[in-house]
């Protein structure tokens, strides 16, 4: 951030009065521009014993497999965002959503939400951001071709919890080694 | 948003190629400026049977009672943010945090996180954004003087769940009547 989005003049990093960390503050109109973490929301779509995964058509991790997920938009709930992203990336309808996993990624200012969901029918296929969309049995999951640690962890939790039929909300911090 | 934070020129609302909703797009450098929901994170601090509440020294809801909470910052986890806000608003140390309630407020683009937490000791008091900080027994909770529905709902869930000793993560959407 170099310029004020309200008046177009320059901004300076400074600690505002009553605050305790640096913010971008406008030199002209004094607006304080806060920057905050963003939410990524998605689903773990299930059909009988199978799990739906999408092969990414975009960077990062082009060609690797992911659960359908993306940035939460203003005006929607995390659940509505998860349904929307599942439609956009996999042309799939889901129902019976239940919050399942939450990940903090503080180094990249992201918080992930995944919902367990039932695939409503077998009509699905790649959206603009996917190369392929497929259902996988447990023994076919491409563990060495998964796009992100949050995907691996969510699938591991799910396959483990499925044995007991209990699915408590799983929370985890993903800290990258430097 | 009226000006580009990257180059200072004007922005226009337009639907970028491959997107499906209006964004602020720079007329000069074409930067797309996304706006996303923000996370508010806090704690429900408990000491024996008592719950800590803060009387707000700031608007909105000046003079009403709240749980300590505030905007999550870049570079921290939701749990770290909850601990920080508890310190800033109530000068209180907490431990043994467990994620407890999550609220979507889509009309104001906010997602709330509350953690159950143990108050580490009886050393607490008002920070800059609080007028008073007090411990309340269940029968003393000022139900008609609570600042926000998310506070009321979190306390209601907690007092109900406390009877069974089971505290599943509670998720709820708060939709304002128009
Ligand atoms: Zn300005
Ligand atoms: Zn620009």
């Amino acid at each position: 951030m170099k310029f004020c989005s309200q008046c177009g003049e320059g901004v300076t990093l400074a600690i505002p009065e009553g605050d305790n960390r640096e913010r971008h503050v406008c030199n002209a109109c004094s607006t304080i521009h806060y920057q905050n973490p963003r939410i990524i929301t998605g689903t773990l779509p299930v059909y009988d014993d199978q799990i739906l995964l999408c092969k990414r058509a975009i960077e990062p991790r082009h060609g690797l497999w992911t659960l359908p997920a993306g940035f939460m938009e203003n005006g929607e709930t995390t659940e509505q965002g998860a349904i929307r992203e599942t439609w956009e990336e996999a042309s799939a309808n889901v129902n019976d959503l239940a919050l399942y996993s939450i990940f903090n990624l503080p180094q990249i200012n992201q918080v992930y939400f995944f919902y367990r969901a039932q695939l409503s029918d077998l009509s699905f296929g790649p959206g603009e951001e996917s190369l392929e969309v497929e259902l996988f049995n447990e023994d076919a999951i491409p563990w060495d071709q998964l796009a992100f640690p949050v995907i691996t962890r969510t699938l591991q939790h799910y396959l483990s919890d499925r044995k007991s039929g209990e699915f408590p909300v799983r929370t985890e911090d993903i800290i990258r080694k430097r």
Side-chain angles (χ1 to χ4, degrees), chain A:
Chain A
M1 168 167 292
K2 298 178 193 132
F3 298 92
C4 175
S5 55
Q6 288 306 307
C7 78
E9 297 300 312
V11 295
T12 305
L13 274 179
I15 302 178
E17 193 180 328
D19 202 339
N20 51 24
R21 62 183 70 201
E22 286 193 326
R23 313 285 180 185
H24 292 94
V25 182
C26 179
N27 303 327
C29 74
S30 300
T31 298
I32 303 168
H33 298 280
Y34 297 94
Q35 295 183 307
N36 301 90
R38 293 202 289 174
I39 293 173
I40 293 170
T41 183
T43 61
L44 190 165
V46 172
Y47 194 89
D48 292 339
D49 282 350
Q50 297 186 296
I51 295 169
L52 180 141
L53 296 174
C54 306
K55 193 179 217 175
R56 287 173 65 83
I58 53 172
E59 293 296 347
R61 309 285 199 272
H62 182 281
L64 299 186
W65 292 90
T66 189
L67 293 166
F71 286 109
M72 181 184 182
E73 299 277 7
N74 278 352
E76 68 185 6
T77 66
T78 45
E79 181 170 329
Q80 288 167 342
I83 292 170
R84 176 183 52 72
E85 287 288 342
T86 306
W87 174 253
E88 289 180 2
E89 299 194 354
S91 305
N93 288 305
V94 286
N95 54 62
D96 289 344
L97 274 70
L99 180 61
Y100 184 50
S101 62
I102 294 179
F103 299 94
N104 272 278
L105 287 73
Q107 286 150 326
I108 52 174
N109 307 316
Q110 294 180 348
V111 178
Y112 268 83
F113 282 68
F114 283 107
Y115 288 80
R116 292 186 295 117
Q118 296 301 312
L119 201 56
S120 304
D121 53 54
L122 288 173
S123 159
F124 58 79
E128 290 200 357
E129 298 185 356
S130 305
L131 297 167
E132 301 173 40
V133 177
E134 274 186 39
L135 286 173
F136 290 87
N137 282 310
E138 178 168 357
D139 58 8
I141 288 174
W143 292 105
D144 58 349
Q145 297 288 310
L146 296 178
F148 304 108
V150 297
I151 308 300
T152 306
R153 297 298 291 147
T154 298
L155 292 173
Q156 287 172 335
H157 282 309
Y158 178 75
L159 294 169
S160 169
D161 288 346
R162 188 165 73 172
K163 290 174 192 145
S164 67
E166 302 273 332
F167 299 94
V169 174
R170 301 291 186 173
T171 63
E172 214 164 316
D173 300 338
I174 308 261
I175 311 291
R176 283 195 197 155
K177 306 286 186 299
R178 301 255 185 194

